[in-house]
Amino acid sequence: MSPTRDRPLALTMGDPAGIGLDITLDTWINRQTWQTPPFILIGDPAALAQRARFLGHDVAIRVTDCGGALSVFQDALPVLPLTCATAVTPGEPDSANAGAITGAIETAVRLTMDGEASAIVTNPIAKSVLYDAGFKFPGHTEFLADIAERLTGDSLQPIMMLAGPKLMAVPVTIHIPLKDVPAQLTADLIYRTCAITVRDLKDRFGLTSPRVAVAGLNPHAGENGALGLEDDAVIRPVVERLKAEGINITGPLPADTMFHDRARATYDVAICMYHDQALIPAKALGFDDSVNVTLGLPFIRTSPDHGTAFSLAGKGVARADSLLAALRMAQQLADNAARTA
C-alpha cells in the first residue's frame, strides 16, 4: 500500500452556508460509483446533518479522528468536529462562523504537517464574510502560507495553479488590482514563480522535464517595445536565465495565441502575468473539472475552482465535479510525492 493510502485526505467544510456541504455529501454518497478517495471532513457535524436533511439524504455521520476515518469511510461520513458559533442557514452566510471556517483550515494544515492526513482539500470560502470578522488575507492561498510559516519558521512563496485536463496555468501576481500588476511584476517574482512551479511539477506531478510557456504582459508580448517595455526588459531576461539553468522554457509569448489546441500541445504549464490572464482560459477550458492547486508549500493542497455559490446551497443543484477532481488530484499528488521523497 502507498504510504499515503493509510491516511485520509483532510477536507475542510468551507463556508457552511455555501455549497461546500452539499458537494461533500454528494462525493461521499457516490463514493463507490465515483471511487471517491477517503477523506475526513473538518467541520460542524450538526450543520452537515442539517444539510443532509435539507437535501433529502439519509447519510450516516460518524464523529472520529484521522486515525479512525479510513475504517468508517465506506459506512459513514467521518467528521472531525468543529462547532459553528451560530446556526447555519443555507445561502445565508454569517461572519459569526468565521472562527469555525478558519479553524477548519488551520486544523487541516496541522493534521497534514503532523502526518495524520496525506493532503488538504479545501471547500470554498467567501472572503467578504471573513473580512467582516477581521480576516486579513487576500485569499485562501495567502492564509495557508501564513499558517505554514508560523508552524515552520520558513519564509514561503505560495503559488496558485489552476489544473484541468486541458490546461495548467499559474498567475505570477494573484489578488491585486490590474493597475498594480506592472509594479509588482519583478524579475525576482517571475523567477521564483517559475522555479517553484517546475520543482513541484517534478516532485508532485511526476514530470521529468516540465515544458514551461511564459506569457507576455502586454498585447503581442510588447511588439518589440511598441506596446510596452516590460516584456523585453523584465520577462525575457528571466526566461533566458531559466533556460540557461536547464529548464525547458519559452517566452514571453503573446497571450492571445497561447491557449488554442495546437499551442497547448507544446507545453505542460502556462505561466501568466496576472490573475485573469491565467484563470479565464483555465476556467473556459475546464470549468467543472479544473482544480485549484497551491504550490510552494510544505504540504499538498487542492480545492474546487469555484466559489461558495450561496444561491445554490441546500437546493440539490450544485455540481460536485470540481470537488471530486480536487480529491482525486490531492490523492495522486500525495502518492507522487511519496514516491519521489
Side-chain angles (χ1 to χ4, degrees):
M1 178 181 289
S2 164
T4 65
R5 296 297 172 101
D6 58 1
R7 294 170 284 159
L9 300 170
L11 174 62
T12 65
M13 69 175 174
D15 193 306
I19 64 170
L21 296 182
D22 304 50
I23 58 180
T24 296
L25 287 162
D26 279 349
T27 57
W28 183 82
I29 289 168
N30 295 286
R31 61 199 177 283
Q32 294 178 339
T33 303
W34 294 353
Q35 297 184 318
T36 303
F39 62 81
I40 184 167
L41 178 71
I42 303 170
D44 192 326
L48 181 66
Q50 177 204 55
R51 189 63 52 86
R53 291 192 296 272
F54 254 95
L55 297 169
H57 297 320
D58 183 13
V59 174
I61 297 171
R62 185 80 53 82
V63 171
T64 184
D65 57 14
C66 280
L70 295 183
S71 63
V72 306
F73 186 78
Q74 291 306 320
D75 299 314
L77 199 164
V79 179
L80 193 152
L82 288 178
T83 303
C84 290
T86 190
V88 176
T89 301
E92 298 182 15
D94 192 328
S95 61
N97 289 326
I101 296 168
T102 57
I105 300 167
E106 295 209 41
T107 300
V109 172
R110 288 191 173 90
L111 290 171
T112 305
M113 292 191 66
D114 288 344
E116 295 183 54
S118 59
I120 299 168
V121 182
T122 58
N123 267 308
I125 60 173
K127 294 184 287 292
S128 60
V129 176
L130 300 182
Y131 291 154
D132 290 341
F135 189 72
K136 62 181 181 179
F137 301 95
H140 237 141
T141 301
E142 296 83 358
F143 183 44
L144 287 160
D146 179 76
I147 299 169
E149 287 180 347
R150 284 187 274 122
L151 291 175
T152 65
D154 296 331
S155 179
L156 302 168
Q157 181 183 336
I159 293 172
M160 174 195 292
M161 180 169 75
L162 263 289
K166 296 182 178 179
L167 175 66
M168 291 195 293
V170 170
V172 175
T173 61
I174 308 177
H175 297 117
I176 62 173
L178 188 58
K179 65 181 178 62
D180 296 337
V181 168
Q184 295 291 323
L185 204 60
T186 65
D188 182 60
L189 178 61
I190 298 169
Y191 177 85
R192 285 185 288 117
T193 299
C194 292
I196 292 169
T197 299
V198 168
R199 182 197 68 196
D200 280 10
L201 287 177
K202 289 179 178 179
D203 294 345
R204 296 181 177 176
F205 285 79
L207 298 178
T208 304
S209 179
R211 299 170 300 164
V212 181
V214 178
L217 172 66
N218 297 295
H220 303 176
E223 195 75 74
N224 295 320
L227 299 178
L229 302 177
E230 295 88 352
D231 301 276
D232 287 334
V234 180
I235 303 172
R236 192 177 304 281
V238 174
V239 172
E240 294 304 317
R241 176 185 172 187
L242 289 163
K243 193 178 297 183
E245 293 176 2
I247 291 177
N248 187 351
I249 189 168
T250 58
L253 305 172
D256 62 343
T257 57
M258 276 183 60
F259 301 108
H260 61 80
D261 292 347
R262 293 192 307 280
R264 295 198 316 276
T266 66
Y267 60 82
D268 298 305
V269 64
I271 304 292
C272 302
M273 295 301 109
Y274 54 92
H275 183 278
D276 284 9
Q277 191 182 58
L279 270 64
I280 287 173
K283 292 190 176 186
L285 290 165
F287 186 78
D288 290 321
D289 48 12
S290 287
V291 175
N292 185 336
V293 184
T294 305
L295 308 177
L297 298 180
F299 50 81
I300 291 163
R301 178 261 180 159
T302 68
S303 180
D305 75 340
H306 56 69
T308 50
F310 291 121
S311 63
L312 304 181
K315 296 180 179 177
V317 296
R319 294 177 59 117
D321 308 59
S322 190
L323 176 59
L324 178 62
L327 289 163
R328 288 174 172 169
M329 181 171 288
Q331 185 66 72
Q332 185 60 56
L333 295 183
D335 288 347
N336 290 343
R339 282 193 291 269
T340 60

